[in-house]
Amino acid sequence: MVPGEDSNGVQIRQRRRLPDFLQSVKLKYVKLGYHYLISHLLTLCLVPLMAVIIVEASRLSLDDVHQLWIQLQYNLVSFVVFSAVVVFGSTVYIMTRPRSVYLVDYSCYLPPSDLKVKYQQFMEHSKLTGDFDESSLEFQRKILERSGLGEETCVPEAMHYLPPRPTMSAAREEAEQVMFGALGKLFANTNVRPRDIGILVVNCSLFNPTPSLSAMIINKYKMRGNVRSFNLGGMGCSAGVIAIDLAKDMLQVHRNSYAIVVSTENITQNWYFGNKKSMLIPNCLFRVGGAAVLLSNRPTDRRRSKYKLVHVVRTHCGANDKAFKCVYQEQDDAGKTGVSLSKDLMAIAGGALKTNITTLGPLVLPISEQILFFVTLVAKKLSNAKIKPYIPDFKLAFDHFCIHAGGRAVIDELEKNLQLLPVHAEASRMTLHRFGNTSSSSIWYELAYTEAKGRMRKGNRVWQIAFGSGFKCNSAVWVALGNVKPSPNNPWEDCIHRYPVQLNL
């Protein structure tokens, strides 16, 4: 989005599109993606070799086996060495292979109906606070009209008062309601006791009290003293994928463990009460929400788990000054704190996305798509001709897409540039409409939507992709272990029959 003015002199922000991915792709990121592929080359080569050995062994007759045994009797040293090598190699493989990480279940917080805020109520309340001038009120009205949000999104209780009450105690109350609401349902659905949890990761970008949010959870549920807890702050809307990645790494180290990831954001103390246009947009988009996810590395949990984690790919553009400051918490000229969104945000998001999917592609795309992509790219580099790089069809790699519901413009541009069908962006659009931008938890509301629609089948692959301050673009890839049904208390269960709704795009 870039600043501008309408015919009445009212300052507004117009949409700035993502860059066209057909125009440029950086070769160094292709190499990085292929590095991941080559790192698994040994495993890929061993699979056909083992297949050949098994086929040949199946052709041996009893007489052949007897003759082989006679030969081994006269070559005892060779037999012992061979056996030792096999045992040693098998032991090393078993000890060093990555442990599978399963998503047992997850839950999303459903705010009570008395926290809902309609367009008209939002505007009237903003006017009555007395903090916004006419230009800012008109700007917020136009943002709301174009946002893609519906009439049922929720803001915290502190924002329903006049004047609002953005106190520390109110912020703690919001955090407790969201986190404990999601965790309570998760523990009930999975029959896992809080004391069974060995790893706890909490991410919330803007609210980081002392004691931490993770400590609040440990205190509430009386978790055991040796639980390994982490609290991630200031990492933006993509921190949910970062938290999953951290939990995954911890599960590679600690055997037979459960890990819980709690993703949320806190609005109470981060509402902006000033008149700087770039800092007013979060008021219009961000709403109450949160999710709790239970992960396990126990082989016995595979049968009851919904998904298996396949890949996590993280891209960080923070070395670039413009990317670093495109989502920036600061004070305006009047000393009021808020989060400022740069006019370069969409362009920077596009660059981060391009880097991320170029790295992810070789991991997930069919070899046919990879060859077309790579050959076209090399031809362009060698000939310097105006050859458009081949953009792989990610619909061949994924069955479902959970695009962070950060705003209508982001969803529009990803749908266009990744050449997705409307059904692929449906979960993201409907989540934005029903719940608003719930920050790092939005990708879980989207997954819950897909389940509530009965679309998740065994073997389906899911791509969760999120953007965040810093600037970051992160992806997580899951595979369904069965035909997934929605869990009890799915956040969509009372309204899924009304969706998808027709949006005025």
Side-chain angles (χ1 to χ4, degrees), residues 178 236 406:
V178 174

Side-chain angles (χ1 to χ4, degrees), residues 173-214:
E173 185 176 344
E174 179 193 348
E176 290 174 354
Q177 288 176 350
V178 174
M179 295 191 305
F180 300 162
L183 283 167
K185 289 192 294 184
L186 182 65
F187 287 132
N189 291 345
T190 58
N191 292 319
V192 172
R193 301 175 304 168
R195 291 190 63 83
D196 294 333
I197 305 304
I199 300 161
L200 173 64
V201 184
V202 181
N203 70 269
C204 181
S205 188
L206 293 173
F207 183 58
N208 293 284
T210 300
S212 66
L213 298 178
S214 59

